[in-house]
Amino acid sequence: IEEVMEIYDKILEEDPVNVTAHKRKVAVHRGKGTPEGLKEATVALNQYLDMYPTDADGWREMADMYLEQQHVEHARKALEEVVMLTPVNYMAHLKLADALYTLEDYTTARKYYAQSLELNPERNPRASIGLILTTTATDAPKGKAGKGDSTNTALYRVARDTLLTQYDSLPRGAPGATIAPLVKSWLRA
């Protein structure tokens, strides 16, 4: 590994903006499979992103590395960059919403779950469930799960109805079909 890193360092000495060499250094560090390697990969990717801040894949990789290290706040910032660079990518909104939910910022997470669901309403049950959980969490202090302010109530109903439709359309024997009755009773409660 050291020999490979020396080669990439030499390439970067001659051409400091060589994108491929920067990305391969990150990959080599990450490929070590150790916590130290992951930290080195994070440092290398940060240096790369300082030079190329519009690389959405780089930011996505950075978020994944931060999540592996359980640095959710840093991952949130990287995912915000991904959303800015790829605003129609429903998965970027979904991952950001998950990070915000983990950080207990339910109101902001609700917005990103709703956007993710709007971008992909057919095959996005995770956004529906996230929207149900965030609307319930923001109403919980009032004791009105899914029945609070009008926006919360509307979002809760959209998510619930979307999820019910998805479970209703599952063919027999499909993954999830066995728990469909349980989920439906939970959502209708």
Side-chain angles (χ1 to χ4, degrees):
I1 292 178
E2 296 305 319
E3 294 171 13
V4 171
M5 294 306 282
E6 287 175 17
I7 292 169
Y8 291 134
D9 287 337
K10 185 177 178 186
I11 291 169
L12 290 171
E13 266 180 41
E14 295 170 13
D15 182 11
V17 293
N18 187 310
V19 172
T20 305
H22 280 287
K23 287 184 174 184
R24 288 188 179 167
K25 275 185 75 168
V26 172
V28 169
H29 285 307
R30 189 150 190 209
K32 292 177 184 175
T34 64
E36 295 79 24
L38 191 56
K39 288 177 186 173
E40 291 168 349
T42 304
V43 170
L45 188 53
N46 264 318
Q47 291 169 350
Y48 168 78
L49 289 171
D50 283 343
M51 288 186 284
Y52 301 100
T54 59
D55 185 341
D57 290 329
W59 286 109
R60 195 173 299 114
E61 182 76 12
M62 180 63 78
D64 288 344
M65 288 193 296
Y66 279 138
L67 288 172
E68 273 187 55
Q69 298 173 71
Q70 299 179 11
H71 297 301
V72 182
E73 181 63 35
H74 292 302
R76 177 193 61 83
K77 292 174 186 172
L79 288 165
E80 286 174 346
E81 295 290 334
V82 176
V83 167
M84 283 193 310
L85 294 167
T86 59
V88 295
N89 181 340
Y90 82 96
M91 282 301 295
H93 290 272
L94 189 57
K95 285 182 85 169
L96 177 55
D98 287 344
L100 290 163
Y101 187 87
T102 302
L103 293 167
E104 299 180 1
D105 185 354
Y106 303 124
T107 304
T108 309
R110 181 184 75 173
K111 294 174 186 177
Y112 286 100
Y113 282 126
Q115 184 63 32
S116 179
L117 190 59
E118 184 176 330
L119 290 168
N120 183 5
E122 284 88 35
R123 293 190 332 250
N124 198 355
R126 192 164 122 200
S128 296
I129 291 170
L131 201 48
I132 289 168
L133 293 173
T134 53
T135 56
T136 303
T138 54
D139 281 347
K142 304 169 202 138
K144 305 174 183 178
K147 299 170 186 78
D149 68 62
S150 61
T151 302
N152 234 20
T153 302
L155 288 172
Y156 178 86
R157 287 184 181 147
V158 165
R160 182 197 62 205
D161 294 346
T162 302
L163 203 54
L164 284 170
T165 301
Q166 290 170 350
Y167 272 103
D168 284 338
S169 66
L170 282 176
R172 286 187 183 261
T178 55
I179 64 164
L182 203 68
V183 173
K184 289 178 192 177
S185 68
W186 168 66
L187 290 171
R188 290 187 176 119

